[in-house]
mmCIF file of all heavy atoms in Angstrom:
data_model
loop_
_atom_site.group_PDB
_atom_site.id
_atom_site.type_symbol
_atom_site.label_atom_id
_atom_site.label_comp_id
_atom_site.label_asym_id
_atom_site.label_seq_id
_atom_site.Cartn_x
_atom_site.Cartn_y
_atom_site.Cartn_z
ATOM 1 N N SER A 41 -5.323 9.742 20.257
ATOM 2 C CA SER A 41 -6.624 9.815 20.923
ATOM 3 C C SER A 41 -7.479 10.969 20.405
ATOM 4 O O SER A 41 -8.680 10.956 20.572
ATOM 5 C CB SER A 41 -6.411 9.986 22.432
ATOM 6 O OG SER A 41 -5.719 11.191 22.710
ATOM 7 N N GLN A 42 -6.853 11.994 19.764
ATOM 8 C CA GLN A 42 -7.606 13.178 19.380
ATOM 9 C C GLN A 42 -7.877 13.285 17.880
ATOM 10 O O GLN A 42 -8.877 13.858 17.479
ATOM 11 C CB GLN A 42 -6.836 14.438 19.819
ATOM 12 C CG GLN A 42 -6.656 14.539 21.330
ATOM 13 C CD GLN A 42 -7.973 14.682 22.044
ATOM 14 O OE1 GLN A 42 -8.860 15.369 21.570
ATOM 15 N NE2 GLN A 42 -8.104 14.026 23.185
ATOM 16 N N VAL A 43 -6.990 12.754 17.054
ATOM 17 C CA VAL A 43 -7.158 12.946 15.619
ATOM 18 C C VAL A 43 -8.013 11.822 15.049
ATOM 19 O O VAL A 43 -7.718 10.654 15.254
ATOM 20 C CB VAL A 43 -5.780 12.964 14.920
ATOM 21 C CG1 VAL A 43 -5.970 13.104 13.412
ATOM 22 C CG2 VAL A 43 -4.960 14.132 15.447
ATOM 23 N N HIS A 44 -9.068 12.168 14.342
ATOM 24 C CA HIS A 44 -9.930 11.175 13.718
ATOM 25 C C HIS A 44 -9.449 10.956 12.295
ATOM 26 O O HIS A 44 -9.624 11.800 11.418
ATOM 27 C CB HIS A 44 -11.386 11.655 13.728
ATOM 28 C CG HIS A 44 -11.906 11.885 15.117
ATOM 29 N ND1 HIS A 44 -12.223 10.843 15.966
ATOM 30 C CD2 HIS A 44 -12.110 13.033 15.819
ATOM 31 C CE1 HIS A 44 -12.651 11.338 17.132
ATOM 32 N NE2 HIS A 44 -12.578 12.655 17.065
ATOM 33 N N LEU A 45 -8.831 9.797 12.061
ATOM 34 C CA LEU A 45 -8.245 9.515 10.766
ATOM 35 C C LEU A 45 -9.315 9.049 9.798
ATOM 36 O O LEU A 45 -10.314 8.463 10.187
ATOM 37 C CB LEU A 45 -7.161 8.445 10.911
ATOM 38 C CG LEU A 45 -6.028 8.811 11.867
ATOM 39 C CD1 LEU A 45 -5.009 7.674 11.895
ATOM 40 C CD2 LEU A 45 -5.342 10.097 11.428
ATOM 41 N N PRO A 46 -9.094 9.272 8.499
ATOM 42 C CA PRO A 46 -10.054 8.803 7.496
ATOM 43 C C PRO A 46 -10.157 7.279 7.518
ATOM 44 O O PRO A 46 -9.226 6.589 7.898
ATOM 45 C CB PRO A 46 -9.430 9.281 6.167
ATOM 46 C CG PRO A 46 -8.400 10.292 6.539
ATOM 47 C CD PRO A 46 -7.965 9.976 7.927
ATOM 48 N N LYS A 47 -11.296 6.777 7.051
ATOM 49 C CA LYS A 47 -11.484 5.331 7.049
ATOM 50 C C LYS A 47 -10.591 4.653 6.027
ATOM 51 O O LYS A 47 -10.189 3.522 6.201
ATOM 52 C CB LYS A 47 -12.956 4.999 6.748
ATOM 53 C CG LYS A 47 -13.903 5.414 7.856
ATOM 54 C CD LYS A 47 -15.322 5.007 7.528
ATOM 55 C CE LYS A 47 -16.285 5.394 8.650
ATOM 56 N NZ LYS A 47 -17.670 5.020 8.337
ATOM 57 N N ARG A 48 -10.307 5.332 4.924
ATOM 58 C CA ARG A 48 -9.508 4.706 3.878
ATOM 59 C C ARG A 48 -8.271 5.537 3.614
ATOM 60 O O ARG A 48 -8.344 6.710 3.280
ATOM 61 C CB ARG A 48 -10.306 4.586 2.579
ATOM 62 C CG ARG A 48 -11.437 3.573 2.641
ATOM 63 C CD ARG A 48 -12.262 3.617 1.376
ATOM 64 N NE ARG A 48 -11.458 3.348 0.209
ATOM 65 C CZ ARG A 48 -11.301 2.136 -0.322
ATOM 66 N NH1 ARG A 48 -11.899 1.118 0.215
ATOM 67 N NH2 ARG A 48 -10.561 1.951 -1.389
ATOM 68 N N LEU A 49 -7.121 4.903 3.744
ATOM 69 C CA LEU A 49 -5.881 5.608 3.436
ATOM 70 C C LEU A 49 -5.788 5.938 1.958
ATOM 71 O O LEU A 49 -5.089 6.866 1.565
ATOM 72 C CB LEU A 49 -4.678 4.739 3.829
ATOM 73 C CG LEU A 49 -4.537 4.409 5.314
ATOM 74 C CD1 LEU A 49 -3.329 3.498 5.514
ATOM 75 C CD2 LEU A 49 -4.385 5.655 6.142
ATOM 76 N N SER A 50 -6.505 5.193 1.112
ATOM 77 C CA SER A 50 -6.317 5.323 -0.324
ATOM 78 C C SER A 50 -6.831 6.635 -0.892
ATOM 79 O O SER A 50 -6.593 6.941 -2.047
ATOM 80 C CB SER A 50 -7.023 4.165 -1.037
ATOM 81 O OG SER A 50 -8.377 4.105 -0.667
ATOM 82 N N GLN A 51 -7.529 7.456 -0.115
ATOM 83 C CA GLN A 51 -7.977 8.728 -0.660
ATOM 84 C C GLN A 51 -6.849 9.750 -0.716
ATOM 85 O O GLN A 51 -6.981 10.792 -1.341
ATOM 86 C CB GLN A 51 -9.134 9.272 0.170
ATOM 87 C CG GLN A 51 -8.762 9.596 1.616
ATOM 88 C CD GLN A 51 -9.953 10.102 2.389
ATOM 89 O OE1 GLN A 51 -10.383 11.239 2.226
ATOM 90 N NE2 GLN A 51 -10.521 9.243 3.209
ATOM 91 N N PHE A 52 -5.720 9.450 -0.072
ATOM 92 C CA PHE A 52 -4.582 10.350 -0.117
ATOM 93 C C PHE A 52 -3.693 9.982 -1.286
ATOM 94 O O PHE A 52 -3.459 8.806 -1.563
ATOM 95 C CB PHE A 52 -3.783 10.293 1.181
ATOM 96 C CG PHE A 52 -4.523 10.894 2.328
ATOM 97 C CD1 PHE A 52 -5.374 10.112 3.097
ATOM 98 C CD2 PHE A 52 -4.404 12.229 2.618
ATOM 99 C CE1 PHE A 52 -6.073 10.662 4.142
ATOM 100 C CE2 PHE A 52 -5.113 12.782 3.676
ATOM 101 C CZ PHE A 52 -5.947 12.002 4.435
ATOM 102 N N GLN A 53 -3.154 10.975 -1.971
ATOM 103 C CA GLN A 53 -2.328 10.729 -3.146
ATOM 104 C C GLN A 53 -0.884 10.523 -2.761
ATOM 105 O O GLN A 53 -0.325 11.277 -1.970
ATOM 106 C CB GLN A 53 -2.429 11.919 -4.111
ATOM 107 C CG GLN A 53 -3.819 12.096 -4.687
ATOM 108 C CD GLN A 53 -4.263 10.847 -5.429
ATOM 109 O OE1 GLN A 53 -3.520 10.304 -6.237
ATOM 110 N NE2 GLN A 53 -5.464 10.387 -5.137
ATOM 111 N N PRO A 54 -0.220 9.494 -3.330
ATOM 112 C CA PRO A 54 1.199 9.285 -3.045
ATOM 113 C C PRO A 54 2.049 10.320 -3.751
ATOM 114 O O PRO A 54 1.574 11.049 -4.622
ATOM 115 C CB PRO A 54 1.462 7.890 -3.612
ATOM 116 C CG PRO A 54 0.482 7.766 -4.738
ATOM 117 C CD PRO A 54 -0.751 8.519 -4.278
ATOM 118 N N LEU A 55 3.310 10.365 -3.393
ATOM 119 C CA LEU A 55 4.230 11.237 -4.093
ATOM 120 C C LEU A 55 4.280 10.842 -5.558
ATOM 121 O O LEU A 55 4.221 9.665 -5.904
ATOM 122 C CB LEU A 55 5.635 11.113 -3.486
ATOM 123 C CG LEU A 55 5.773 11.604 -2.050
ATOM 124 C CD1 LEU A 55 7.108 11.148 -1.483
ATOM 125 C CD2 LEU A 55 5.682 13.109 -1.991
ATOM 126 N N PRO A 56 4.378 11.823 -6.492
ATOM 127 C CA PRO A 56 4.410 11.483 -7.915
ATOM 128 C C PRO A 56 5.656 10.685 -8.246
ATOM 129 O O PRO A 56 6.733 10.952 -7.746
ATOM 130 C CB PRO A 56 4.423 12.858 -8.597
ATOM 131 C CG PRO A 56 4.979 13.780 -7.577
ATOM 132 C CD PRO A 56 4.515 13.265 -6.261
ATOM 133 N N VAL A 57 5.490 9.685 -9.121
ATOM 134 C CA VAL A 57 6.625 8.864 -9.528
ATOM 135 C C VAL A 57 6.597 8.675 -11.033
ATOM 136 O O VAL A 57 5.557 8.788 -11.676
ATOM 137 C CB VAL A 57 6.590 7.472 -8.855
ATOM 138 C CG1 VAL A 57 6.706 7.593 -7.360
ATOM 139 C CG2 VAL A 57 5.339 6.701 -9.230
ATOM 140 N N LEU A 58 7.735 8.393 -11.588
ATOM 141 C CA LEU A 58 7.860 7.978 -12.970
ATOM 142 C C LEU A 58 8.310 6.536 -12.962
ATOM 143 O O LEU A 58 9.093 6.123 -12.125
ATOM 144 C CB LEU A 58 8.886 8.851 -13.704
ATOM 145 C CG LEU A 58 8.541 10.334 -13.797
ATOM 146 C CD1 LEU A 58 9.711 11.087 -14.416
ATOM 147 C CD2 LEU A 58 7.290 10.553 -14.617
#
Side-chain angles (χ1 to χ4, degrees):
S41 62
Q42 298 296 321
V43 178
H44 300 286
L45 302 181
K47 292 183 179 179
R48 290 174 59 93
L49 297 178
S50 55
Q51 63 181 285
F52 290 89
Q53 295 302 312
L55 294 168
V57 297
L58 298 174

